[in-house]
Amino acid sequence: MNFDEIIPRRGTNSYKWDSATSDDILPMWVADMDFRTAPAIIEALQQRVAHGIFGYTRVPDAYYESVIHWFSHRHGWKIERDWMIYTSGVVPALSAIIKALTTPGDGVLVQTPVYNCFFSSIRNNGCTIVSNPLVRIGNTYVIDYEDLEQKAVNPKTRLMLLCNPHNPAGRVWTREELERIGDICLRHGVTVVSDEIHCELVYPGHTYTPFASLSERFLNNSITCLSPSKAFNMAGLQIANIVSSDADVLRKIDRAININEVCDVNPFGITATIAAYNEGEEWLSQLIDYLYQNYLYMKHFCTEYLPHFPLTDLQGTYLVWMDCRTLGIPSEELEEQLTEKAKLWLNAGTMYGPEGEGFMRWNIACPRTALVEGLKRFTEFVTAQ
């Protein structure tokens, strides 16, 4: 697979590229990739399109079998078919889960800085955001378990949204870390809702562990949200899965999904998922290697030319968290200045909570030449300060 190929995306109604105010802006913000998806997915979709009829669709046995086989083969986690509910995306899944398992005014734990849609999903359901801020040590983040326990002990705290791997901190949580989270939540009656959308994008030296695979106790006290969308660059096809071993919990979630009207999926999402999980593994291995080389290039570049802008160690995802506090410019203002002056669009760290102030998030899922250009523009901006 040629990940160096430049594939023009402007004029395709790309949210990432066509949202820019001018054609000379390089977008390295929203989390989708500038690579074509796996050839097997494209071929399967072409065959489906050739049929020419795109009516309401049912989800076949082959869909469930592909998901079950993938997670068993690749991650050692045996999912039962009757644990699964499909829906149109992980964010709609999170919203439905919160609706199903809380009442307005309940607290939902998050580990900030964290994916911004966690906040909106909590607020939209009338719940309260309870932050357990991650602690930055060196160029990585760790969990403050004492604070987590203090927040979990409140009887109004009902759920914890876990980001595994974590966006934007780039952490791939270890078994030991997940077990400590699980023990705290079990002790205090907090259900873990694990967003594992980035689970395939893990780099050498690190291993993704599905939270629910750790033990029967944790399986029964958790709900997992999964999707091939990040790993296979198919977010626009809108497909995701909710996994829970608790039939009563699943019934409540299924009801919430229907209330939210996100119970239907499209035929292309089904077709693409089956192809991704049945035939996409070799392509994914090549992708992960390319992304890792992009990260190593960026890390080397910043060490040499931007030593005052340290990167958080990237263990997983393709989202790099850069410390820009040396500039003394608030993150939102820095995003505006970079877009206007450097023609480089990054995400302001404060999107992910107040703990992100002074940081910027880079999306490095692009051809190497685009990454080089982005770093060049950033360096010229910094030099001009």
Side-chain angles (χ1 to χ4, degrees):
M1 186 69 189
N2 180 17
F3 294 104
D4 287 318
E5 182 184 359
I6 303 292
I7 303 166
R9 297 186 65 191
R10 280 201 174 88
T12 64
N13 296 316
S14 162
Y15 185 65
K16 179 179 182 180
W17 285 82
D18 290 327
S19 297
T21 54
S22 64
D23 287 350
D24 55 353
I25 291 173
L26 178 61
M28 301 184 74
W29 60 299
V30 69
D32 75 10
M33 300 191 285
D34 292 328
F35 311 122
R36 284 195 182 94
T37 190
I41 295 174
I42 296 171
E43 183 179 343
L45 289 172
Q46 287 171 337
Q47 291 176 8
R48 183 65 185 83
V49 167
H51 182 258
I53 300 174
F54 313 117
Y56 299 118
T57 191
R58 59 182 291 278
V59 177
D61 291 344
Y63 174 88
Y64 295 96
E65 289 162 3
S66 69
V67 177
I68 289 166
H69 178 264
W70 178 271
F71 279 90
S72 174
H73 155 72
R74 194 166 170 89
H75 304 298
W77 181 27
K78 181 66 167 68
I79 299 171
E80 301 291 339
R81 175 174 170 158
D82 59 5
W83 296 354
M84 293 172 59
I85 300 176
Y86 57 81
T87 187
S88 58
V90 164
V91 174
L94 293 171
S95 183
I97 292 164
I98 295 169
K99 181 186 288 292
L101 302 181
T102 65
T103 55
D106 284 345
V108 180
L109 269 164
V110 296
Q111 295 180 305
T112 48
V114 75
Y115 178 46
N116 54 296
C117 286
F118 280 13
F119 305 134
S120 54
S121 292
I122 295 168
R123 291 193 191 103
N124 289 346
N125 285 286
C127 291
T128 302
I129 296 164
V130 181
S131 181
N132 165 230
L134 297 175
V135 178
R136 188 171 175 83
I137 297 179
N139 289 332
T140 193
Y141 285 87
V142 297
I143 296 165
D144 183 342
Y145 296 103
E146 184 177 338
D147 179 75
L148 178 59
E149 184 122 31
Q150 288 173 356
K151 304 289 172 59
V153 75
N154 186 334
K156 292 290 285 181
T157 303
R158 304 301 304 276
L159 301 179
M160 175 178 179
L161 300 190
L162 174 67
C163 201
N164 174 40
H166 193 282
N167 165 24
R171 279 299 318 276
V172 176
W173 304 117
T174 64
R175 294 183 68 90
E176 292 72 24
E177 288 170 318
L178 294 172
E179 284 168 355
R180 289 189 70 177
I181 291 170
D183 285 335
I184 289 169
C185 288
L186 263 178
R187 274 201 301 275
H188 301 295
V190 176
T191 302
V192 175
V193 182
S194 192
D195 172 1
E196 304 192 354
I197 196 169
H198 292 277
C199 67
E200 305 305 334
L201 303 173
V202 173
Y203 302 122
H206 305 281
T207 302
Y208 153 69
T209 304
F211 178 82
S213 73
L214 288 166
S215 71
E216 193 83 8
R217 296 183 309 138
F218 294 163
L219 169 66
N220 295 333
N221 190 52
S222 67
I223 299 123
T224 304
C225 299
L226 303 167
S227 174
S229 62
K230 294 300 180 200
F232 291 95
N233 202 26
M234 43 183 267
L237 298 182
Q238 298 186 313
I239 192 89
N241 295 293
I242 299 168
V243 180
S244 171
S245 64
D246 187 319
D248 185 51
V249 165
L250 273 185
R251 276 193 297 272
K252 291 177 181 177
I253 295 170
D254 189 52
R255 177 67 185 142
I257 282 175
N258 280 272
I259 290 169
N260 286 358
E261 304 290 4
V262 288
C263 48
D264 292 321
V265 292
N266 70 78
F268 302 115
I270 295 165
T271 296
T273 297
I274 294 168
Y277 286 154
N278 287 350
E279 304 175 70
E281 190 165 28
E282 175 54 36
W283 178 90
L284 180 62
S285 296
Q286 293 177 35
L287 169 74
I288 291 169
D289 181 63
Y290 191 90
L291 292 173
Y292 187 56
Q293 294 304 317
N294 265 4
Y295 165 62
L296 293 179
Y297 177 89
M298 184 175 183
K299 186 177 180 182
H300 175 77
F301 183 98
C302 291
T303 299
E304 187 162 349
Y305 300 107
L306 295 165
H308 302 300
F309 296 83
L311 306 181
T312 299
D313 294 337
L314 190 65
Q315 301 175 358
T317 83
Y318 48 71
L319 304 165
V320 176
W321 192 239
M322 175 186 272
D323 186 347
C324 299
R325 289 176 291 183
T326 188
L327 287 173
I329 303 173
S331 288
E332 288 185 23
E333 185 180 333
L334 181 55
E335 178 179 337
E336 292 174 7
Q337 288 194 29
L338 283 168
T339 305
E340 180 186 339
K341 298 177 182 178
K343 305 300 180 184
L344 174 65
W345 192 350
L346 306 178
N347 282 126
T350 44
M351 241 181 119
Y352 311 101
E355 295 80 9
E357 183 58 88
F359 291 79
M360 300 299 287
R361 193 187 79 165
W362 293 66
N363 174 354
I364 63 167
C366 58
R368 189 81 33 84
T369 51
L371 175 59
V372 170
E373 178 62 24
L375 289 167
K376 174 176 170 286
R377 294 184 188 193
F378 186 87
T379 305
E380 289 172 351
F381 173 84
V382 168
T383 303
Q385 297 304 299

